[in-house]
């Protein structure tokens, strides 16, 4: 057959045999976390679904976010698959780039194997297959049947039939591969016997004429099939044989007038699942342009589920695909559907009552903005999604991870556009269906048991999942060894996706993969040595091996094959000196992390030599303390550690190699020694691990014997006794005592250890008390440690009490002023841990007072509940004086203290109130306001000093924020007046602010005080407050006159004084203008002008005078008529004698202000009138507009008002759209008449619903509620 456009064909295949050999992967049990859709008593019928309005705005929301975990299982979906190739109409919508098929590999390797069916491709333009029988339909109406060898076996039909029926548009083979259904572009359907090529049925009346067959598919029942035409309708085809006649009965399942269906997919089961309870319902999934439906054909037609898409791209193609998956050892079907870039999954299962439940699963969101063309199951875990760019995406369903992306644009996929547009019958299809058909390829892509067939214009292609060896070998061929090892390790650990070809139990599978990885490692090491650059910088060679050698080491250790690592790989790498060094250095991180604990002797020797030669001694030490001692040359290691001061490694070698725990202590000093002693006494090995149990007691005794030695091994004549303890105490006293305290806790029941501890304590007392080389802190640490141990109930130590007295005298020595704070802190810590029982309290208190240890005194007073004496401690302690306020407040506020104790403190605080106020007046005022509100007057009497009283009252009367917010304290008026007098004396500038803030003083007395001290500003404020505005004005004028004579004040310039006085006078006139008559305001004008004239004496520049005068006049204009101001200016002798030009600026400025205010008033009036007119016009339009009722019947009696002709009746229509008979409303009590007014009606339905939602909150106002009648019509 020639390769011409006329021979484009369609192919379908049976569901019995695989063309390609597919490895089966055993399934594993998964976790079911789904939740069911709520059950309904009566499922909706198909008719009710078809009559539902299409709501494209409703989104499809998945409520279940859990993941359906389907592990690798056999593919159970043996669906009858069909692939079609036909004229795709205008193909300009898809511009393909001619290039070779490129397999893009990821960390998962190449998952798909791409093959071309050359035998079929050589005979026809395009073909495809999925099983033992391959059927190809052509545009001439022929159906070509091929066998497994791709050889033509049958040619069904004829060109004459093709001219009548049109091109083959759909094919389907039943489950036993005996019958073939062919759908044609002009709407005909034929059935053929595949055994002999005989035509069994020709069906012409199964669906409306003039539409093409888009899908025809067998169900599990060989006598039942479904078809879908280009009109969007779906029909059931029931095949019968009566009296030797073959018939076909058709039943409409879905009418295209209710929404066009463009894809159908029956649920087909494999032979081993024929007894599944879901098969008896013969489920069928249908995808329309707006929703997905799942219906049951048996025993009766029933709708089980419907889901809307929501908002989608109108050009996207709906897709359906069924697959059986195991969920908790139960296999159930899952429907995958999509329209757009999101794949949704629905689990279908049957419960014990026989009800089918459809459970929504987690959706799969593709990581690209595409329109999906096809969704196919490869197996229960793996999907292949083809996007609009003809790119296949292999996706792992549980993890939603994309495994591979494969561009198949070169296939030149065949599209079914001509059949969706029904070009063979005149193109009588909807615009929406034709738009979807532009990218429809339902009959060109098919999946079957792990393989996917693509039908191109010139060839048929098959894509199959590779087995695990092929995927690894594919990477090896590209010399991508690291990725090959990574992929193989994922197979070894069971984390790989889409795995085929691994059988048996987990141990066996790991063994098979491990052998493959070893083979890869041998290839990798050979390549690393052979590909090493022989010339160039040494850094290039090092980088080459650093990229490769660590990978080999890592995988050898993961496989636990150190023999392979050291005996074979190292032997091969050692030939290259650079590779040898990189290999040895790469061992360190694995040794430190304890992944590599034993190294062969030759490798260990090479490792130490290499690190030492490169001066990497830190690495040497890190490696030594983590290695097995049996692999070390002890003599070599000890000498190396000694020469390079590797003390950790030296301790490790002595401890582990020679069981010697004493020798390291003779050469190691510092913090490392303290840690080592602590670990040894606690039974822990240094620097890591544990001491063997049989050596714990022996090591402990050896350490104690070492510490209490009189002399060191190489002692001289000048060496003091107990050198080791003396040295440790001098180095870090607290840490050494902490180590000793830990041993006391660990060995409470060890008699011998307790004897050693007592001996060490005696030595410490002898060494530290009798020696003046130790500081008070060191001595204090010792006795604090002893006091803490002696205070324990199970104490076994004995200490002479006289030693504590000696320490007390040492710390409280009055002759020693150095380290005063340190000695006090040491003694305080000693007392706090229980040392107080070791001293006589009277003697201790006397020594503390003499040494000025006030914290010690406070500690003792607090133990004896003498809280009042603690106040003296705070007052006498210069470092803690400020804390006395918090102490008094806490003690008087907190519970836990008796009333007598609080009273003593209260009296003591009052006794020292003068000292407290001197220390901090603000905190003293807070304290008085909270705890001594009744004692304010006596406290003021005690203070005596006026300035101290002033500070106290100022803080007491000012409202402040602080740690203890001051409550509102109301004092008597005489105290306020006392404070006013003190303010006049000390801070007169703050007096006016205080008078404005306070209201508790008497005006007459306050005026007398301010007049006495001549504080004019405050006097003016008080007179104004009293109502004497004229007096206040006179005081301000007097103040101005006095300021004229104060020429010596340098803090303010004359101009500043002028402006300040003028501002005060203007503000006073503003405040008092409402209470003045016109004559008094005129007097103010005269005074203003006189003030400005008198000010001109001090103002040299006429410009500044004009500015001040303008300021005065602008201020006057707000409460004095403008003509009066101008007249007064012209009559004034200062301005009247001059030229008009001198005052022209003043007059023009005033006129400009007048014009601005007049314009502002006119604009505001215009806006208000416009708004009022707009509101009235809209209200009139709303009241007068016509009403349109929602229904043509009364909402109470439900009778149409046009049909009620028995008596004339009035009809009432409300603005809400409801309509009623007048009599019906009267019976319901929804109207009432008012005298001389129109009857008022209320909408019965709206009022009832409002009462149901909000109780009695129902509005019947005519202008606001929608339930008010706006029309009444006579019928």
């Amino acid at each position: 057959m020639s390769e011409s456009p006329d021979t484009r064909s369609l192919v379908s295949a049976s569901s019995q045999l695989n063309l390609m050999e597919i490895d089966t992967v055993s399934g594993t049990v998964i976790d079911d976390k789904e939740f069911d859709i709520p059950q309904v008593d009566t499922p909706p019928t198909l008719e009710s679904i078809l009559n539902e309005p299409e709501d494209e705005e409703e989104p499809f929301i998945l409520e279940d976010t859990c993941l359906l975990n389907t592990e690798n299982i056999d593919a159970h979906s043996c669906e009858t698959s069909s692939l079609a190739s036909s004229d795709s109409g205008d193909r300009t919508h898809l511009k393909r780039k001619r290039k070779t098929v490129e397999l893009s590999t990821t960390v998962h390797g190449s998952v798909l194997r791409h093959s071309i069916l050359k035998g079929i491709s050589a005979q026809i333009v395009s073909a495809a297959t999925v099983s033992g029988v391959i059927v190809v339909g052509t545009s001439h109406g022929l159906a070509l049947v091929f066998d497994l060898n791709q050889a033509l076996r049958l040619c069904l039909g004829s060109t004459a039939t093709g001219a009548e029926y049109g091109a083959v548009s759909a094919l389907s083979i039943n489950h036993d591969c005996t019958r073939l259904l062919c759908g044609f572009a002009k709407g005909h359907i034929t059935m053929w016997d595949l055994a002999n090529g005989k035509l069994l049925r020709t069906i012409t009346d199964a669906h409306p004429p003039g539409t093409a067959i888009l899908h025809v598919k067998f169900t599990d029942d060989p006598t039942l099939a479904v078809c879908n035409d280009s009109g969007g309708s779906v029909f059931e085809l029931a095949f019968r044989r009566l009296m030797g006649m073959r018939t076909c009965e058709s039943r409409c399942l879905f009418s295209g007038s209710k929404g066009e269906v463009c894809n159908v997919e029956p649920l087909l089961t494999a032979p081993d699942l024929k007894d599944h309870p879901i098969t008896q319902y013969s489920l069928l999934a249908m995808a329309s342009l707006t929703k997905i439906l799942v219906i049951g054909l048996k025993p009766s037609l029933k709708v089980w589920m419907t889901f809307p898409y929501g908002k989608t791209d109108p050009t996207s193609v709906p897709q359906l695909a069924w697959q059986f998956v195991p969920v908790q050892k139960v296999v159930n079907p899952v429907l995958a559907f999509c329209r757009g870039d999101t794949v949704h999954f629905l689990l279908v299962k049957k419960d014990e009552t026989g009800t089918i439940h459809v459970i929504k699963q987690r959706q799969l969101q593709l990581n690209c903005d595409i329109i999906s063309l096809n969704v196919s199951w490869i197996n229960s875990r793996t999907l292949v999604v083809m996007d609009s760019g003809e790119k296949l995406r292999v996706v792992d369903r549980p993890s939603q991870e994309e495994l591979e992306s494969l561009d198949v644009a070169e296939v030149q996929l065949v599209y079914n556009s001509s059949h969706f547009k029904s070009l063979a019958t005149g193109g009588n299809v909807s615009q929406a269906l034709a738009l979807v058909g532009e990218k429809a390829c339902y009959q060109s892509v098919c999946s079957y048991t792990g393989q996917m067939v693509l039908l191109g214009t010139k060839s048929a292609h098959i894509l199959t999942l590779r087995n695990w060896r092929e995927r690894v070998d594919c990477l090896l061929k590209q010399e991508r060894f690291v990725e090959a090892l990574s992929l193989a390790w994922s197979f070894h650990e069971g984390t790989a996706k889409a795995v085929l070809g691994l059988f048996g139990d987990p141990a066996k599978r790991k063994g098979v993969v491990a052998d493959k990885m070893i083979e890869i490692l041998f290839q990798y090491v050979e390549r690393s040595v052979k590909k090493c650059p022989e010339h160039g910088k040494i850094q290039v060679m090092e980088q080459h091996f650093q990229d490769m050698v660590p990978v080999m080491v890592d995988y050898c250790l993961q496989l636990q094959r150190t023999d392979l690592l050291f005996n074979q790989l190292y032997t091969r790498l050692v030939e290259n000196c650079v590779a040898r060094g990189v290999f040895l250095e790469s061992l360190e991180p694995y040794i430190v992390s304890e992944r590599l604990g034993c190294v062969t002797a030759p490798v260990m020797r090479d490792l130490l030599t290499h690190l030492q030669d490169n001066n990497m001694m830190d690495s040497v030490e890190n490696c030594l303390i983590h290695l097995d001692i049996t692999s070390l040359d002890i003599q070599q290691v000890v000498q190396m550690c000694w020469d390079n001061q590797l003390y950790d490694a030296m301790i490790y070698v002595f401890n582990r190699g020679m069981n010697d725990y004493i020798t390291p202590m003779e050469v190691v000093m510092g913090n490392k020694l303290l840690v080592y002693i602590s670990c040894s006494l606690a039974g822990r090995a240094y620097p890591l691990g544990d001491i063997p149990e049989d050596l714990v007691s022996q090591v402990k005794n050896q350490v104690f014997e070492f510490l209490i030695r009189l002399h060191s091994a190489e002692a001289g004549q000048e060496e003091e006794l107990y050198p080791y303890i003396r040295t440790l105490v001098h180095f870090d006293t607290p840490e050494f005592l902490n180590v000793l305290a830990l041993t006391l806790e660990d060995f409470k029941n060890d008699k011998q250890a307790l004897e050693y501890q007592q001996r060490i304590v005696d030595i410490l007392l002898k060494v530290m008390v009798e020696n003046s080389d130790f500081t008070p802190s060191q001595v204090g640490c010792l006795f604090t440690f002893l006091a803490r141990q002696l205070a324990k109930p199970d104490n076994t130590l004995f200490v002479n009490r006289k030693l504590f007295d000696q320490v007390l005298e040492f710390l409280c020595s009055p002759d020693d002023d150095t380290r005063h704070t340190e000695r006090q802190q040491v003694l305080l810590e000693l007392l706090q841990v229980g040392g107080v029982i070791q001293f006589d309290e009277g003697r201790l208190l006397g020594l503390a007072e003499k040494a000025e240890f006030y914290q010690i005194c406070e500690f003792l007073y607090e133990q004896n509940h003498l809280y009042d004496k603690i106040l003296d401690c705070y007052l006498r302690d210069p470092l803690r004086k400020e804390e006395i306020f918090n102490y008094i407040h806490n003690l008087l506020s907190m519970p836990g203290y008796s009333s007598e104790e609080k009273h003593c403190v209260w009296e003591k605080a009052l006794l020292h109130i003068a000292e407290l106020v001197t220390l901090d007046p603000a905190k003293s005022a807070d304290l008085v306001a909270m705890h001594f509100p009744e004692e304010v007057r006596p406290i003021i009497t005690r203070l005596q000093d006026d300035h101290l009283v002033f500070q106290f009252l100022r803080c007491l009367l000012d409202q402040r924020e602080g740690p203890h917010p001051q409550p509102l304290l109301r004092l008597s008026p005489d105290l306020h007046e006392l404070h006013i007098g003190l303010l006049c004396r000390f801070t007169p500038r703050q007096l006016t602010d205080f008078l404005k803030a306070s209201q508790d003083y008497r005006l007459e007395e306050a005026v007398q005080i301010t007049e006495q001290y001549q504080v004019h500003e405050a006097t003016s404020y008080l007179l104004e407050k009293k109502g004497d505005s004229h007096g206040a004005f006179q005081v301000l004028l007097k103040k101005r006159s006095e300021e004229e004579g104060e020429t010596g004040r340098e803090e303010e310039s004359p101009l500043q004084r002028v402006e300040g006085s003028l501002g005060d006078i203007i503000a006073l006139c503003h405040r008092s203008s409402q209470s003045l008559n016109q004559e008094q305001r005129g007097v103010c004008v005269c005074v203003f002008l006189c003030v400005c004239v008198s000010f001109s004496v001090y103002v040299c520049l006429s410009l500044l005078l004009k500015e001040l005068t303008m300021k005065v006049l602008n201020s006057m204009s707000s409460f004095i008529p403008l003509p009066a101001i101008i007249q007064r200016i012209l009559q004034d002798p200062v301005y009247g004698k001059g030229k008009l030009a001198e005052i022209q600026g003043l007059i023009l400025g005033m006129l400009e202000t007048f014009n601005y205010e007049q314009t502002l008033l006119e604009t505001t009036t215009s806006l208000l009138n416009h708004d009022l007119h707009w509101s009235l016009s809209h209200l009139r339009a709303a009241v007068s507009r016509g009403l349109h009722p929602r229904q043509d019947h009364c909402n109470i009696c439900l009778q149409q008002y046009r049909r009620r002709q028995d008596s004339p009746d009035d009809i009432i229509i409300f603005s809400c759209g409801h309509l009623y008979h007048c009599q019906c409303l009267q019976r319901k009590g929804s109207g009432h008449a008012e005298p001389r007014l129109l009857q008022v009606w209320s909408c019965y339905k709206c009022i009832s619903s409002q009462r149901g939602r909000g109780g009695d909150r129902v509005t019947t106002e005519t202008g606001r509620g929608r339930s008010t009648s706006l029309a009444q019509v006579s019928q």
Side-chain angles (χ1 to χ4, degrees), residues 1013-1064:
Y1013 291 100
Q1014 296 184 358
V1015 184
H1016 300 301
E1017 183 179 356
T1019 304
S1020 174
Y1021 170 77
L1022 291 173
L1023 291 174
E1024 181 186 357
K1025 185 175 181 181
K1026 187 179 176 181
D1028 187 3
S1029 301
H1030 184 267
F1033 189 78
Q1034 294 297 327
V1035 170
L1036 290 179
L1037 290 179
K1038 182 179 179 181
K1039 174 187 175 186
R1040 185 201 60 78
S1041 300
E1042 292 179 356
E1043 288 178 347
E1044 290 181 5
E1046 297 177 1
T1047 58
R1049 293 170 54 185
E1050 297 180 357
E1051 63 273 10
E1052 291 182 348
S1053 65
L1055 182 59
Q1056 289 177 336
R1057 292 200 300 272
V1058 167
E1059 289 181 339
S1061 300
L1062 188 60
D1064 293 340

Side-chain angles (χ1 to χ4, degrees), residues 334-440:
V334 169
L335 175 65
F337 71 91
C338 75
R339 188 183 184 192
D341 60 354
T342 304
V343 183
H344 306 277
F345 298 90
L346 298 176
L347 175 66
V348 183
K349 66 179 182 181
K350 178 182 177 183
D351 62 12
E352 298 177 353
T353 63
T355 304
I356 292 181
H357 297 278
V358 181
I359 305 170
K360 292 178 288 185
Q361 303 294 305
R362 183 179 178 183
Q363 65 189 22
L364 174 62
Q365 186 72 37
L366 301 178
N367 296 326
C368 49
D369 296 330
I370 60 171
I371 303 173
S372 178
L373 285 177
N374 193 278
V375 175
S376 302
W377 292 89
I378 295 297
N379 55 39
S380 62
R381 287 183 59 99
T382 310
L383 287 88
V384 177
V385 179
M386 180 181 290
D387 61 33
S388 58
E390 294 191 358
K391 181 176 289 187
L392 291 177
R393 301 178 184 274
V394 184
V395 181
D396 181 65
R397 166 67 181 89
S399 64
Q400 299 195 1
E401 183 179 0
E402 185 175 313
L403 307 182
E404 185 180 10
S405 178
L406 180 64
D407 191 350
V408 293
E410 192 180 76
V411 172
Q412 300 185 32
L413 198 67
V414 174
Y415 292 85
N416 312 134
S417 304
S418 62
H419 304 318
F420 272 80
K421 296 178 181 179
S422 193
L423 298 181
T425 59
N428 52 342
V429 298
S430 68
Q431 183 178 359
L433 189 63
L435 189 62
V436 171
E438 288 292 336
K439 297 182 179 181

